[in-house]
Amino acid sequence: EITTWVDTTAFSGQKFDALAAHASQGENIFFLKMGKERFGELMGMETFVRVQDATGAAIPENDLFAGLR
């Protein structure tokens, strides 16, 4: 079950550019065909599953470091 949602929209351009940097794989990465703007719309949220908890932080969470700061 997903416990954490992190908004990564601000970094979607960097994520897109990182994929594009793999020039030899470019034709195989369908995400590049959608363009940077659409990629950002679709890939602007990352999800994680908390497998083990040593923090006691409440879920759902939106900060991977919740309970550690």
Side-chain angles (χ1 to χ4, degrees):
E1 183 176 332
I2 296 172
T3 58
T4 310
W5 289 262
V6 178
D7 182 357
T8 59
T9 305
F11 305 99
S12 62
Q14 291 169 312
K15 289 167 51 174
F16 184 90
D17 291 343
L19 286 174
H22 296 282
S24 65
Q25 299 297 316
E27 63 189 39
N28 298 322
I29 302 175
F30 71 91
F31 291 115
L32 297 177
K33 295 178 178 142
M34 67 178 67
K36 221 178 220 187
E37 185 175 332
R38 184 73 174 140
F39 176 86
E41 293 170 3
L42 296 174
M43 304 300 285
M45 184 68 66
E46 294 195 16
T47 57
F48 301 88
V49 175
R50 185 192 293 177
V51 176
Q52 183 177 0
D53 180 23
T55 68
I59 55 175
E61 61 188 351
N62 61 5
D63 180 351
L64 291 178
F65 299 102
L68 299 174
R69 296 186 184 154

